[in-house]
Amino acid sequence: MPSTVIGAAARQLVQEECLAIANALAMRSDIHVGVHSARKAIRRLRAVLALFATDEPPLQRSDRALQRLGRGLSALRDAHVLVDTAQSLQDGAPASGWATVITHLAARRDRLLQRAYAEDPGFQKKRRAVQRVGLELDAQGWERVSKGDLRRALARSRRRVKKAAARARDSDDPEALHDWRRRVRRLRMQLEAMARLDSGLVKDHSGSDGGKQAKGLHRLSDALGRQQDLRLLRNHMRGMPVLQDKAVLMALAR
């Protein structure tokens, strides 16, 4: 596939992700799901940008704007995930104390959302920020994208995953595990993006299928993410003074 064709596909992919972020933030039926979807689309877009010449100032600006947007939504996302995690544990191992935990977490999640909406009604400011990013990215020289650049960027991501895995194995620090998960997730998203640009780009030197690699990375990132969500839940439950069967629930969350 010629570079100009890959560049056109990259431009379209970037704009699709910008639209996905904006649409998720405009969701009215379940804004908690919308926030979660927006965060995922932001991560996908940042993973795509990392494949290109991110040392160029316009791409750096766009990436930083997306990073700020994602961080601004992180508290809402975490609050929603806490509710989902507690509910999944209740479904798998019912205990009387879960109802109190879930009620507390759901109320906290809704308070955070009301506060966020008060500061930015309908997330209009955030959606305008996404629009600005989309316009800036659309003006970039995507026709300069080459297969060699993309392959080198993918190889760099693979090396970073290996280094992060080694650090996580040698450390008890939760941040090391979290960093491993982030790098695994980014590599998986890059493989998926490159498959959309050109399926031949995701084959490694042994000729293995990029789709299978992405699925394996997806399972790994999900497992690491589950550990992180459980740790987040345990940390929050520790601060709840009145909680029936607290020791039992903490053990289940472990």
Side-chain angles (χ1 to χ4, degrees), residues 186-202:
R186 171 161 286 194
L187 175 58
R188 185 257 300 171
M189 290 178 172
Q190 289 175 335
L191 284 166
E192 292 171 345
M194 288 175 69
R196 293 169 65 182
L197 298 176
D198 181 353
S199 60
L201 284 169
V202 297

Side-chain angles (χ1 to χ4, degrees), residues 157-169 180 183:
S157 285
R158 285 185 170 124
R159 290 193 298 271
R160 287 176 173 174
V161 167
K162 289 181 180 179
K163 289 180 180 178
R167 285 194 298 269
R169 284 194 297 267
W180 182 23
R183 294 188 185 280

Side-chain angles (χ1 to χ4, degrees), residues 78-152:
D78 287 348
H80 180 57
V81 167
L82 281 173
V83 176
D84 278 353
T85 303
Q87 288 176 335
S88 71
L89 289 172
Q90 182 187 46
D91 293 340
S96 57
W98 281 128
T100 301
V101 173
I102 293 169
T103 298
H104 167 82
L105 293 175
R108 175 179 176 271
R109 175 194 64 183
D110 293 341
R111 285 196 304 272
L112 289 175
L113 179 61
Q114 289 173 1
R115 190 181 306 161
Y117 257 20
E119 295 174 356
D120 184 9
F123 290 147
Q124 293 181 30
K125 293 179 183 177
K126 290 179 175 60
R127 285 152 57 194
R128 286 196 294 271
V130 175
Q131 185 180 33
R132 289 193 295 271
V133 168
L135 290 172
E136 186 167 51
L137 290 176
D138 195 53
Q140 302 313 303
W142 298 103
E143 68 280 355
R144 296 196 297 272
V145 173
S146 72
K147 287 186 177 182
D149 291 337
L150 293 174
R151 288 197 178 98
R152 283 189 289 273

Side-chain angles (χ1 to χ4, degrees), residues 199-217:
S199 60
L201 284 169
V202 297
K203 292 184 180 296
D204 62 18
H205 297 298
S206 63
S208 64
D209 183 83
K212 291 181 179 178
Q213 294 177 56
K215 288 178 181 177
L217 291 168

